[in-house]
Amino acid sequence: MAQTNIRLPYFDNLLAAFSTGNTEVIQAFGRHVHWGYWDDPATADGSVVDFAKAAEKLCHLVCDAGGVKDGLRILDCGCGFGGTIASLNERFSHLQMVGLNIDGRQLARARQEVIPMNHNQIEFIEGDACQLPFEDNSFDIVLAVECIFHFPSRDRFFQEVQRVLRPGGKLALSDFVPLAAAQPIFRFFDTFVSESVHRTYGDLDFRYSLNDYQKLAKTVGLVMAPAKNITFNTLPTYPVVRRLVNYMSNFGSEMNSVTGGMELISRLELVRYLILSFATNK
Ligand SMILES: C[S@@+](CC[C@H](N)C(=O)[O-])C[C@H]1O[C@@H](n2cnc3c(N)ncnc32)[C@H](O)[C@@H]1O
């Protein structure tokens, strides 16, 4: 069993909203708990149906970056309610998929919602992405959709990924990545907003730059592909999330402000939403 002393207040609120049958929150976050992707952000209509489609699209992009194809063994770290595995289950066949999450409550929902089809096999396991409970060389692809900022250490996660990937294997992830030049601004703002961020979104670290990723990949023996910057395509997420947080938390206005701050620094491209992929050079 993983140590679940991680704080994820937004998941406490999501689960509370689900239990009251809040249909908008369930439609928006019952499958994926990540930002949306719009090819043309001008077409976004602000509805939860439109948002859910965009969240599905973002999941496809990360899976494409990992090179998913039929028959592979795939680990989805920080798997949330199992949305990425549900999507792969519907679109591919003969996959062996494992969803790993530190939060057993999310896994209980994933096990209920995601039923294997298309000759796929699915397991959901409680554990920490920085201490993977798997053998060396046991996966073709590792995915981590919008969750690495919660992990206790990106260094340890990358070392573990390199260990469990088979020769020729790939890691694909999405993350909020600050411009290196903006890091001092983040340190300055951290002093003022970190309490609010921790009260709403929990333990997270948005200070890892592209340069940091490049160095880390090199250190552990992964080869990084050019990053895909989709910041602009994710921007319609913010009004939807800011509207929904008002329903689902006893600190809705604080969550709204924190999400608004994130929107501002994203619009200014001080922090970029990137899809990153890495190949092992074993
Ligand atoms: C923003 S959610 C993303 C969920 C999912 N990947 C998705 O896209 O729907 C972040 C996820 O990371 C998980 N998480 C946080 N720390 C973790 C850790 N150390 N090991 C495994 N999962 C973790 C959380 O429980 C949560 O499910």
Side-chain angles (χ1 to χ4, degrees):
M1 281 281 221
Q3 277 298 313
T4 48
N5 53 6
I6 179 174
R7 291 178 55 254
L8 294 166
Y10 67 113
F11 270 98
D12 301 340
N13 288 310
L14 280 177
L15 289 162
F18 292 178
S19 70
T20 63
N22 186 319
T23 47
E24 275 214 291
V25 175
I26 294 170
Q27 269 183 308
F29 297 116
R31 176 168 160 119
H32 299 293
V33 185
H34 58 234
W35 275 193
Y37 175 95
W38 289 260
D39 280 322
D40 178 0
T43 62
D45 67 12
S47 70
V48 286
V49 173
D50 181 56
F51 172 71
K53 277 192 207 143
E56 178 68 21
K57 184 78 200 279
L58 188 142
C59 156
H60 291 199
L61 291 178
V62 180
C63 295
D64 291 351
V68 176
K69 57 182 193 227
D70 292 344
L72 298 184
R73 183 162 155 82
I74 299 173
L75 172 63
D76 181 26
C77 287
C79 68
F81 298 125
T84 298
I85 288 190
S87 170
L88 293 174
N89 187 36
E90 290 156 14
R91 298 185 294 124
F92 294 90
S93 71
H94 300 277
L95 296 177
Q96 287 178 32
M97 293 182 279
V98 180
L100 181 97
N101 200 326
I102 200 141
D103 181 357
R105 301 167 307 170
Q106 296 172 47
L107 293 174
R109 179 178 168 87
R111 289 189 190 106
Q112 219 169 24
E113 296 289 318
V114 191
I115 309 300
M117 58 169 81
N118 299 330
H119 305 282
N120 295 315
Q121 292 171 31
I122 300 175
E123 246 186 304
F124 288 105
I125 294 181
E126 194 170 330
D128 181 349
C130 294
Q131 284 177 273
L132 294 176
F134 308 109
E135 290 181 5
D136 297 359
N137 303 315
S138 50
F139 290 95
D140 300 296
I141 298 174
V142 177
L143 303 170
V145 184
E146 212 174 295
C147 49
I148 194 167
F149 45 77
H150 281 310
F151 296 171
S153 156
R154 284 177 176 82
D155 289 21
R156 285 215 306 279
F157 173 61
F158 267 56
Q159 282 157 13
E160 282 291 81
V161 169
Q162 169 71 332
R163 180 180 69 72
V164 303
L165 276 178
R166 293 173 175 155
K170 277 181 98 172
L171 162 68
L173 61 90
S174 60
D175 193 11
F176 300 92
V177 180
L179 287 186
Q183 278 174 322
I185 303 175
F186 280 96
R187 277 195 288 276
F188 176 75
F189 276 113
D190 228 24
T191 329
F192 300 104
V193 299
S194 71
E195 275 302 307
S196 270
V197 173
H198 286 265
R199 255 196 305 273
T200 52
Y201 285 100
D203 300 321
L204 48 81
D205 178 6
F206 282 159
R207 286 174 297 180
Y208 215 73
S209 71
L210 195 56
N211 198 22
D212 293 329
Y213 271 112
Q214 267 149 355
K215 278 198 230 150
L216 175 58
K218 210 166 170 190
T219 309
V220 301
L222 289 166
V223 180
M224 187 167 154
K228 192 171 163 63
N229 178 4
I230 60 165
T231 314
F232 177 66
N233 309 85
T234 63
L235 293 178
T237 300
Y238 291 96
V240 179
V241 172
R242 291 179 70 183
R243 181 165 64 78
L244 292 182
V245 295
N246 294 324
Y247 290 137
M248 66 180 191
S249 87
N250 49 9
F251 40 74
S253 67
E254 188 167 34
M255 202 156 179
N256 190 315
S257 306
V258 170
T259 311
M262 194 65 192
E263 177 173 7
L264 178 65
I265 56 178
S266 299
R267 285 193 185 280
L268 294 172
E269 288 223 48
L270 293 173
V271 66
R272 297 181 299 167
Y273 194 110
L274 301 184
I275 295 179
L276 302 175
S277 65
F278 307 83
T280 178
N281 62 7
K282 286 182 188 174

